[in-house]
Amino acid sequence: MNPIKETPRAAHMRPVSGRVTGAGIAAAPPNRTGTEPLPEDHTQAILQATKEVAALLKASGYPFALVGSVAVYAYGVPLRLQHDSDFCLRRKDAEGVVRALTQGGVEVVSPPEDWLVKARTGGEEIDLIFELAHRPVTKEMLDRAEILPVDSVHMPVLAPTDLMSSRLAALSEHHCDFGRLLPVARALRERVDWDALRREYSASPMPDAFLYLLERLDVISPRAGGTGGLP
């Protein structure tokens, strides 16, 4: 997944015992079981896994925030959830979080990527992310998170401007699906600091093009002084 990705469940993940060493998480031998097609709507199962992991994270005392598609869902965007649930946390808290989840009965897995930890509970995948689009998760970012109910369980959810920023940062020549991002922008438009995002992404072609598209569709107000970085 990109930092806020919606990728199919990985068939290559390796379950581990959850033992944490000074170098990170110690992997165990592979235990590949294969994958099954996802149902059209996997929402309730994903929400249940999200609530279980969030309860353990809250009890651990480490700061975190819900991110990704389930965070968008928490802000009221009608989505059919099909893939994993994402939480962001600081890299330095990873070992303590892994320990808390393992003690709570969540299976921790070791992915090839170095910017996240993967977990599994109730047959659902959980991503614990240290970087959003190659940007480290910071205390300031987590402090801005809003407490929202997610299927009756309250938890911190990444603030709308940070959530949209992380999605814009993930846009590139190889990943520029504006169609999936457009309904999110429409739903969050009253809660996002669009001027801040324009300043942040004025020199980035794909994010700036998407912001310009939002203006042309009257989703957001035109930027002051014309079209900024676009001709």
Side-chain angles (χ1 to χ4, degrees):
M1 108 177 205
N2 66 45
I4 307 209
K5 66 180 176 26
E6 298 178 16
T7 54
R9 300 179 194 180
H12 63 276
M13 294 189 303
R14 297 172 292 163
V16 301
S17 65
R19 177 171 58 87
V20 179
T21 68
I25 307 165
N31 183 24
R32 182 171 177 173
T33 58
T35 59
E36 298 179 359
L38 289 171
E40 182 179 356
D41 188 351
H42 217 236
T43 300
Q44 198 54 49
I46 290 175
L47 291 177
Q48 183 61 33
T50 300
K51 294 188 294 183
E52 292 177 6
V53 171
L56 292 172
L57 290 174
K58 289 196 291 184
S60 75
Y62 291 104
F64 72 95
L66 184 66
V67 70
S69 298
V70 187
V72 173
Y73 179 93
Y75 279 112
V77 182
L79 295 176
R80 287 184 173 183
L81 304 176
Q82 281 190 294
H83 304 300
D84 50 16
S85 181
D86 304 322
F87 293 91
C88 59
L89 63 150
R90 298 176 300 182
R91 183 182 293 273
K92 70 178 185 178
D93 295 331
E95 291 191 12
V97 166
V98 167
R99 188 176 300 109
L101 294 183
T102 302
Q103 292 173 351
V106 174
E107 181 183 23
V108 177
V109 297
S110 178
E113 302 89 350
D114 63 357
W115 48 268
L116 82 167
V117 169
K118 288 182 175 286
R120 185 183 295 120
T121 183
E124 301 302 322
E125 310 295 347
I126 306 291
D127 283 358
L128 304 168
I129 301 169
F130 317 137
E131 297 181 4
L132 297 174
H134 308 292
R135 301 178 179 187
V137 175
T138 64
K139 178 181 183 298
E140 292 75 19
M141 183 186 297
L142 298 178
D143 286 345
R144 289 192 295 268
E146 300 185 15
I147 304 299
L148 297 176
V150 178
D151 199 29
S152 77
V153 173
H154 286 74
M155 63 187 74
V157 181
L158 201 67
T161 299
D162 289 323
L163 189 59
M164 184 58 61
S165 177
S166 65
R167 293 210 161 197
L168 290 176
L171 294 175
S172 70
E173 292 85 351
H174 305 291
H175 176 77
C176 54
D177 189 348
F178 290 176
R180 300 183 72 174
L181 190 51
L182 182 56
V184 177
R186 287 187 186 275
L188 298 180
R189 59 184 173 182
E190 301 297 333
R191 311 185 68 170
V192 171
D193 186 343
W194 296 106
D195 287 337
L197 295 182
R198 285 169 175 142
R199 291 191 297 269
E200 184 176 5
Y201 293 106
S202 62
S204 302
M206 292 301 177
D208 194 47
F210 181 73
L211 293 172
Y212 179 66
L213 175 64
L214 295 182
E215 295 174 12
R216 293 298 305 271
L217 295 175
D218 293 324
V219 175
I220 61 177
S221 300
R223 66 194 76 188
T227 58
L230 292 172

